[in-house]
Amino acid sequence: MAVPIRTVVAGLCAGLVAALLTTAPARAEQDDQVWALSTGTHAPRARITLDSGTLSLAVSRDGRTVIEPSPVGIVTEQADLSKDLRFLHRKDRTVDERYRTKSGKRLDRRVHMKETRLSFATAAGARLDLVVRASADGVAYRYVLPGAHGDVLGETSAFNLPADAAAWLGTYRVDNEGQFVQYTAATAPTGEYSDQALFETSGGYTLLAESDLTGAYSGARLAHTQGTGTYRIKLADDRIRTDGPLTTPWRAMVTGDLATVTRSTFTDDLAPAPKVTDTSWIKPGTVLWTWLAGGKEAGQSLAAQKAYVDYAAERDWPYEAVDAGWYYKPGEWETVDPDWQTNSWMPELVRYARAKGVGIVVWIHQRELDTPEERAQWLPTLERWGVKGVKIDFMNSEAQPMLQWYDTILAETAAHHLLVDFHGSTIPKGIQRTWPHVMTLEGVAGEEKRTNTAAHLTTLPFTRNVIGSMDFTPGAFHRVGLRPNSDAAEVGLTVAYESGLQMFAGTPESYDQRPLARAYFDQVPAAWDDTRLLAGRPGQEAVLARRAGDRWFLGGVYAGAARTAEVPLSIGPGRWLVETVEDGADGLVRERKVLRGGDTLRVEVVAGGGFAGIACPWRPGITTCHRS
């Protein structure tokens, strides 16, 4: 019997509706388990997956692997928020900000990020929000625990890298002074590494980092087992004390080609807005540092310090730093004079220096600032004397109690208008945006070390110095045989390495013996309008250009044999006068060339050598880029 067409159509429609009602919830549930985030076609792309109650995060760039799917989760004493999670909801927003810094790779910053907040819960009702951000140069995530779930016992966070990814790693130390060495992700020895680790995959370069670390949490390092590409987050504390809702630091992946990673300000961009409203007193600058120049004796001698002030004034260097010894008992070492406030010659030195236009920065041990009573004694006194800044040393910890001390000392030094240089310290992790009076931090195997290699020096611009100012203290010409580089490379470090207080570590005699280096130091700024990588490969070469006004300063450092270095002059169109300081047969020599933007700058580099330079717009009659 024939079936009416109307009946057939009705049956088909009913079947289609039934199928849609059956499959739509399944598709929605499947879609809810995978989330993607990116700011553009060529920007890094984050992919978050919830699979059988467990979260993972992967990062790609242009369809190529940056970070393989990696575990995400946190465990507290009351809840395991790394498994058995169910998705609740998602909230998206765009982060658009502009801010200005007092130091760093460039003073004016623009932030554009996409953010997604994914909310999850366990069967028992414990809540976890995973906040993920993506920008043109990075991906980051953090955990937010909206409720109180007790102390944190650890994270399951890790980063899975392709086994054959090139890796530049620094062995973890409490003072963050491990040297960077190249491995592959899998062949690196079993151990703990600094969280500022650089990897090269098919998707480009990625620097692992951390941002917005405070005393509410604990510092991170990377734990690795040889034979795998997995690097787990290990915290400095076995238990992180918390008594309410918690927001953790950002786990950041600075991602792109090498030039993008090098000039990135991603970790600063993630950090909270400045907590210092009046920043007019915060002034970066170059510093005559007297520790490697004069040692213990200089630290206890007013006459020696006045002589250093005289030299800084002659050179128009804005600061002189007095290192350890100034508040110790005369003739004794590391014995604090109990009457230092009345016996100290520091007020006389500050007055002497002020009359010559030089500001004084003083070294002080962290143990002298450990309690509220000690800080109430030291900080107001230093401010009253007119000291411009403090170099605080020997924190040597990223455990929660020490981070809480950082929170306190940052606020109190700002209140007393004291610039800060941290030594024996954590690394920046966004601190310079939130607290702009922090001019620099050590956290590096710097000039004081006697075991540095040329490869280590050429890796620092791509690792430690990416995330903030680095007090390497270049310029120690007198330490011949104790450093792995040439004199011209030592001059170039003042630009290759950025520091809001750029401490020159040599002796006045060593500068006078090298007038070209001394003249270059007279010109080099400590604050920059822009930064560009001109040429580089970690462990082999690093050539950076930093702009101040209409002049570009160039710093190049190299490892390996002598060569003719070829550097693309990618500093803008037009004709440029380029003056370089290079190693010659009998010492430093100056070369001058007129080149067009985009031309190749050729420099003769000795083994373990480098160069420094200044490029300024050329026009007829211009014979030098140096200015009085």
Side-chain angles (χ1 to χ4, degrees), residues 425-481:
S425 65
T426 183
I427 50 182
K429 302 185 179 184
I431 194 174
Q432 289 183 278
R433 180 185 181 186
T434 307
W435 298 101
H437 67 301
V438 178
M439 293 284 92
T440 191
L441 301 88
E442 189 182 28
V444 65
E447 195 75 81
E448 290 181 88
K449 301 301 176 186
R450 302 187 178 197
T451 57
N452 281 343
T453 65
H456 171 67
L457 301 190
T458 62
T459 303
L460 290 175
F462 311 113
T463 51
R464 163 64 181 85
N465 212 188
V466 169
I467 60 170
S469 292
M470 180 176 76
D471 195 13
F472 183 90
T473 68
F477 298 111
H478 62 299
R479 289 169 66 84
V480 177

Side-chain angles (χ1 to χ4, degrees), residues 147-211:
H149 300 305
D151 294 346
V152 173
L153 303 181
E155 295 183 21
T156 58
S157 317
F159 301 94
N160 289 332
L161 281 302
D164 60 351
W168 292 269
L169 306 172
T171 301
Y172 180 77
R173 295 170 37 139
V174 293
D175 56 9
N176 290 290
E177 295 179 18
Q179 288 199 24
F180 284 90
V181 178
Q182 183 176 353
Y183 308 96
T184 66
T187 60
T190 297
E192 295 181 3
Y193 297 94
S194 168
D195 65 327
Q196 46 174 344
L198 180 70
F199 298 90
E200 183 185 17
T201 68
S202 62
Y205 288 84
T206 295
L207 179 71
L208 303 183
E210 188 173 26
S211 183

Side-chain angles (χ1 to χ4, degrees), residues 487-512:
D487 279 359
E490 195 70 16
V491 182
L493 291 182
T494 63
V495 175
Y497 298 164
E498 183 276 321
S499 182
L501 289 177
Q502 187 65 281
M503 301 262 182
F504 299 150
T507 64
E509 294 78 16
S510 70
Y511 301 138
D512 292 341

Side-chain angles (χ1 to χ4, degrees), residues 262-317:
T262 305
R263 77 186 304 267
S264 173
T265 60
F266 188 54
T267 52
D268 281 347
D269 298 343
L270 290 165
K275 296 186 177 181
V276 180
T277 54
D278 174 19
T279 61
S280 60
W281 56 277
I282 302 173
K283 296 177 181 179
T286 53
V287 188
L288 176 59
W289 180 46
T290 62
W291 178 250
L292 291 186
K296 299 178 181 179
E297 292 74 18
Q300 292 201 326
S301 170
L302 174 60
Q305 294 301 326
K306 283 186 174 181
Y308 288 127
V309 166
D310 290 343
Y311 193 83
E314 290 170 8
R315 306 252 50 88
D316 200 26
W317 298 350

